Amino acid sequence: MVCLVSHQIKGWGDASMSLCTRVVAEVQSLCQSSFRGVELQAPTAMCCTGGCDNTLGTLHDLASAALRGGDAHAVTTCVHGHTIRLQTFVGMLPGAEDAHAAQLLYWLRIVQDHLRRESSAAVGIDDADVSCDDASTASMFTSLATALVRWAAHSFHEAGTPSSHCPRVWVPVRHDNNGSTLVLRPVCEHAECLHAVRTQPRGAMDDVASLVATRNGHRSARVDGSHASTVPLRTLAERSGRVLAALTQSTSYGDEELLTFPVSSISAAADALLTALPPDAYAPIQRLSDLHKALRKPLRWVQVVAHRPQADALSHRWLCTHHAKDTELARLRERQHEIVEAVSMLVEWSWHDGQHLRVFDGLCTATLEQAFQSKCPAVKLHCSDHTQTIQFLPSGMVMKESGARVGRVSLKTCVALLRVLCVCRASLCVPQRTEYECDPVPCLMWLV
């Protein structure tokens, strides 16, 4: 007996889509493994705009249409004309490899189609509309770079190895321009300038095939009989190469000085890799880490977000020395340093230890000044080797731990403009300005 089971899962927003996909996959798996004879209807997507419950189509059709299209802004509509972007359904195709891989292949297809249309327009071939503003194009490129890094990070996570162990993105390149030897090189993960690192190492010229391990359930055997975590080497290097080739093809992406490998070289190396390695080639992550060390560690594991990092694969990235200085966190620290320097020129905070007057450093000064201006009752200072709590009491400011008195001195210089009247011989009143500078501490005034 065959039964048809209909199920409905509703969700709103991009985050709920991945949850719906997981639920659909789990229900299908459960039915296939535990409820023989139970047949599920093809999952369909429904419009939830303003209470509309019309069907948009099957999940399979929508996901397939998203992957086939070359437009990141492509939409589908219900019978009432409500629209939803097809990109939403990327990665929801039943039986797909995984959502991260689907997102990567989707953005690679989008960028490749965009570059093809641009190339056709440049040679005068009439093609579809290629109009795209700079912001949309830049967003398209960074979406592809981000999708690659996220998928590579997911591969490391699936292998049970932290992303901080070694660089996650590797591309095949020729040992030299005319040579036939393929080697791997790590890729700087800066989303706006993805680029392979060009180095001339000592003892790191091994062919890419030498990195392949004998597979045993996605793990390779060590000498001591234990198992080492592995990643799909051919898939990782080939996809990374395709992405880097697509991004390098655009003249508006990245820093030309850092994109040292030409498009033709990257594409040719990616093609050659498919012949050099079998489809199921895996490499121990430890070998990639050893290769990075042999290359003299050209990349650094850097926190890039300014806020406290959460469990996010993109909160830290492997960056070259140049791009390690150009992160959200680095820019925030630079602004904080400028603010600290500016505040230190305006006020001075100090305390008396019983014998000497000691001045707080710039960071503590800025923290104290912010608390003082905000009228906070107390503030905790994080010093290099201890913490101090400063209390703002009606009787004065003191250190909570020791009772030492805390003082604040204004260092700023103000300019006062005074108007005086001067009567000239022609009996005309002419207002003139006389400038005075006064330093409030000590309060002195002198005529300029």
Side-chain angles (χ1 to χ4, degrees):
M1 179 178 180
V2 178
C3 297
L4 284 181
V5 178
S6 176
H7 56 281
Q8 185 181 66
I9 305 167
K10 286 190 175 182
W12 290 264
D14 293 340
S16 66
M17 286 296 185
S18 58
L19 177 60
C20 290
T21 307
R22 181 65 182 271
V23 173
V24 169
E26 293 295 338
V27 171
Q28 289 178 327
S29 176
L30 180 64
C31 288
Q32 293 171 1
S33 61
S34 303
F35 297 94
R36 296 182 179 179
V38 175
E39 181 180 337
L40 290 176
Q41 293 179 346
T44 58
M46 303 179 67
C47 179
C48 297
T49 303
C52 177
D53 58 358
N54 287 284
T55 299
L56 295 171
T58 66
L59 196 59
H60 181 278
D61 292 342
L62 293 169
S64 299
L67 292 176
R68 286 196 309 268
D71 183 7
H73 304 288
V75 298
T76 186
T77 59
C78 71
V79 295
H80 287 164
H82 301 137
T83 62
I84 183 170
R85 292 178 64 181
L86 284 175
Q87 181 195 343
T88 308
F89 300 99
V90 173
M92 298 183 70
L93 187 66
E97 177 184 348
D98 62 65
H100 298 291
Q103 284 284 347
L104 170 59
L105 298 178
Y106 167 78
W107 283 111
L108 180 57
R109 174 69 179 274
I110 292 294
V111 170
Q112 287 175 337
D113 283 357
H114 171 78
L115 295 173
R116 177 185 57 79
R117 291 194 298 270
E118 271 195 341
S119 177
S120 298
V123 297
I125 299 177
D126 187 16
D127 203 342
D129 182 22
V130 296
S131 61
C132 189
D133 58 41
D134 293 342
S136 297
T137 302
S139 176
M140 185 190 313
F141 293 154
T142 55
S143 294
L144 174 58
T146 301
L148 173 63
V149 175
R150 192 181 293 278
W151 170 75
H154 175 70
S155 299
F156 271 65
H157 176 74
E158 290 292 295
T161 301
S163 291
S164 58
H165 190 67
C166 77
R168 303 171 287 195
V169 182
W170 297 77
V171 295
V173 298
R174 295 291 184 185
H175 176 14
D176 54 58
N177 293 334
N178 300 318
S180 59
T181 303
L182 282 177
V183 296
L184 284 187
R185 290 297 176 260
V187 174
C188 174
E189 297 176 354
H190 195 282
E192 297 177 2
C193 189
L194 209 69
H195 65 94
V197 176
R198 182 187 289 275
T199 61
Q200 295 297 332
R202 301 170 184 170
M205 300 300 187
D206 291 342
D207 186 279
V208 64
S210 66
L211 300 172
V212 178
T214 302
R215 282 195 56 197
N216 181 13
H218 294 271
R219 293 179 182 273
S220 63
R222 291 195 180 101
V223 176
D224 59 3
S226 61
H227 293 285
S229 298
T230 60
V231 289
L233 179 60
R234 189 173 105 150
T235 305
L236 174 65
E238 192 259 338
R239 288 181 177 174
S240 299
R242 302 296 184 202
V243 170
L244 186 59
L247 294 174
T248 305
Q249 183 179 344
S250 173
T251 57
S252 63
Y253 178 81
D255 186 339
E256 187 175 355
E257 294 182 358
L258 296 175
L259 301 177
T260 53
F261 294 97
V263 178
S264 58
S265 173
I266 300 172
S267 297
D271 292 336
L273 182 76
L274 301 181
T275 304
L277 298 180
D280 60 349
Y282 273 69
I285 294 178
Q286 185 56 48
R287 291 191 186 178
L288 296 178
S289 178
D290 293 340
L291 176 57
H292 186 239
K293 292 178 183 177
L295 295 171
R296 303 176 185 176
K297 298 183 178 180
L299 302 181
R300 299 165 48 194
W301 181 244
V302 179
Q303 179 182 333
V304 297
V305 295
H307 55 79
R308 184 182 298 275
Q310 304 296 325
D312 182 8
L314 302 183
S315 64
H316 291 70
R317 298 201 185 197
W318 285 96
L319 301 177
C320 64
T321 303
H322 173 74
H323 284 126
K325 303 174 183 177
D326 183 28
T327 66
E328 179 184 332
L329 179 61
R331 290 190 292 270
L332 175 64
R333 286 175 173 172
E334 183 178 355
R335 290 196 298 270
Q336 288 177 334
H337 177 73
E338 293 173 353
I339 293 173
V340 167
E341 291 295 319
V343 171
S344 298
M345 296 176 63
L346 297 176
V347 294
E348 180 180 275
W349 286 80
S350 59
W351 84 98
H352 203 282
D353 63 1
Q355 295 181 344
H356 304 284
L357 188 68
R358 301 190 178 275
V359 179
F360 287 101
D361 62 22
L363 185 58
C364 289
T365 295
T367 304
L368 284 165
E369 185 64 19
Q370 180 183 20
F372 177 78
Q373 297 294 342
S374 302
K375 296 181 171 54
C376 297
V379 64
K380 180 176 290 187
L381 302 178
H382 297 276
C383 306
S384 58
D385 56 350
H386 66 286
T387 59
Q388 289 279 3
T389 301
I390 309 300
Q391 295 177 311
F392 300 92
L393 305 175
S395 58
M397 298 172 289
V398 297
M399 286 186 173
K400 180 180 179 180
E401 293 79 6
S402 63
R405 305 293 294 183
V406 176
R408 174 184 182 273
V409 176
S410 175
L411 303 177
K412 65 182 180 180
T413 299
C414 64
V415 177
L417 300 180
L418 303 179
R419 281 189 177 273
V420 298
L421 289 178
C422 177
V423 180
C424 64
R425 292 183 179 181
S427 300
L428 296 176
C429 294
V430 181
Q432 295 181 348
R433 296 191 305 174
T434 304
E435 293 186 354
Y436 293 89
E437 289 189 2
C438 64
D439 188 344
V441 184
C443 188
L444 299 176
M445 182 176 291
W446 62 92
L447 180 65
V448 176

